[in-house]
Amino acid sequence: MFHGKVLVAQGGGPTAVINQSMVGAVLESRKFREVELIYGAVHGVRGILDEDFYDLTQETTHNLEMVANTPSSALGSTRDKPDLKYCQEIFKVLKAHKIGYFFYTGGNDSSDTVRIVNDEARKAGYKLRCIHIPKTIDNDLVENDHTPGFPSAARYVAQAFMGINLDNAALPGVYIGVVMGRHAGFLTAASALGKKFSDDGPHLIYMPERSFDIDRFLNEVKQVHDRLGRCVVAVSEGIHDGSGQPIIAKLASEVERDAHGNVQLSGSGALADLLTQQVKDKLKITRVRGDTLGYIQRSFVGCVSDVDQNEAREVGEKAVQYGMFGDRDGSVAIKRTGHYSVDYELVPLELVAGKTRTMPDDYIAASGHDVTDAFRMYLRPLLGSGMPDAHRLRPNKVPKILTGR
């Protein structure tokens, strides 16, 4: 351990539990006399460049605990993806403020930022401990069984489709819900956890791990609709054809792109609109509705997994413990043990940085549009306690008098 200031920051999309990790890191840092002050960067790495810091040393424990239970990023976040030059500027700021410990909560890109800043410190011979704290609702960090933020978002998706299914059963038709996930289908697959009866929706689940064919999709919707008189579909924003082209780019005459040149997949609701139009035009089904769950999945208040909260707190605490007691930098990874328990390991940054995890094949049904029991067993413990359930009336029909049976 060496004396210095602690800097914590949050990057990428907010989650329902990211503040648990931040507060865990702050409160754990307070236990060590080697820590002089604890700063929080406002809006992630952008705040570091601007030297825009909060002095979290002055925060009360009570208020920190209240913030921990509040969704979204309390420090503010950023979508900046730092390159080498950007990270060199970050390092200059850290050095000027005598930062000795840098804890950055985020996903793939954030872990890469930590790796580059760590390399710059080593080259300069500057004592800086860099630890990446995992976070992403996409659940796409390698080396992790799952990532904080995903279980709560998955709980929301499961409950949302449970309600969608009940609505669709009352007023039958075709419903298409677009769920976040550019490369990984974990969150879309979570829609299956709201099913109770064999004819519950979602009846079709499409994930980016499998190629999407419009004609096959229409045929599968028709088969379900012919059989049940209705059809609920969960589809990932990242679905693509056999060549890798996003379906939204294939169907739309014009597509929006984000600041990094990526096709804007679900922000506009275009994919849901395009797919519903295909069903209306090709299948001649009149009652068709499409929605995009969008940002609401990330920080929905009142739909948080207690398992997710506890683990998000612990990864923040473990990051500080590894930073103080260890002699290496890295990324905290969640490892599953037993029927359901977890342990936390510090893995090398280069194993996580810039890499993307996708759903294992044994989680996806042979049909390509459903999940397996292995996935259900994987996800159910993560959703936490108190998951709601849906019930039905028993169809004890009264005999008809005027029209016969």
Side-chain angles (χ1 to χ4, degrees), residues 107-109 111-113 115 142 331 348-356:
N108 320 63
D109 296 322
S111 63
D112 202 35
T113 297
R115 179 188 64 81
V142 300
S331 176
L349 287 164
E350 58 269 20
L351 294 184
V352 179
K355 296 179 174 61
T356 301

Side-chain angles (χ1 to χ4, degrees), residues 181-310:
R182 181 177 290 271
H183 301 295
F186 287 100
L187 199 55
T188 306
S191 61
L193 272 291
K195 298 177 67 169
K196 179 175 182 178
F197 299 97
S198 61
D199 59 346
D200 278 343
H203 307 102
L204 301 169
I205 303 172
Y206 296 97
M207 298 149 283
E209 285 81 0
R210 297 290 182 266
S211 297
F212 184 91
D213 180 83
I214 293 292
D215 292 334
R216 187 173 68 240
F217 160 73
L218 291 170
N219 182 56
E220 288 164 348
V221 169
K222 184 178 185 303
Q223 288 180 14
V224 174
H225 191 269
D226 287 348
R227 178 168 55 90
L228 299 176
R230 67 189 190 97
C231 182
V232 175
V233 182
V235 57
S236 170
E237 63 181 6
I239 54 170
H240 55 82
D241 64 16
S243 69
Q245 182 184 25
I247 295 302
I248 189 172
K250 192 170 184 176
L251 293 178
S253 55
E254 294 182 8
V255 294
E256 297 181 23
R257 294 183 181 272
D258 62 21
H260 307 289
N262 298 317
V263 173
Q264 195 72 38
L265 297 179
S266 67
S268 66
L271 180 59
D273 293 341
L274 291 165
L275 290 176
T276 55
Q277 198 60 50
Q278 287 282 314
V279 173
K280 290 178 181 178
D281 292 347
K282 303 292 178 58
L283 300 183
K284 307 303 179 184
I285 299 173
T286 55
R287 185 175 175 78
V288 186
R289 175 63 186 265
D291 285 326
T292 300
L293 273 61
Y295 289 167
I296 199 169
Q297 300 157 95
R298 298 200 303 215
S299 302
F300 192 83
V301 177
C303 187
V304 182
S305 162
D306 51 356
V307 171
D308 198 17
Q309 285 182 314
N310 294 336

Side-chain angles (χ1 to χ4, degrees), residues 2 5 21 30 34 91 95 104 113-114 117 127 138 187 214-215 229 235 243 266 271 295 311 315 341 347 362 368 393:
F2 43 86
K5 298 172 186 174
S21 297
R30 288 181 174 181
E34 288 80 9
F91 174 61
K95 189 175 179 181
Y104 193 22
T113 297
V114 175
V117 171
K127 288 185 178 181
D138 291 333
L187 199 55
I214 293 292
D215 292 334
V235 57
S243 69
S266 67
L271 180 59
Y295 289 167
E311 293 177 353
V315 293
S341 58
V347 300
D362 65 335
L393 294 172

Side-chain angles (χ1 to χ4, degrees), residues 111-132:
S111 63
D112 202 35
T113 297
V114 175
R115 179 188 64 81
I116 300 172
V117 171
N118 180 50
D119 288 345
E120 290 302 302
R122 283 182 178 176
K123 285 191 290 185
Y126 179 78
K127 288 185 178 181
L128 177 67
R129 181 68 67 235
C130 296
I131 305 289
H132 167 246

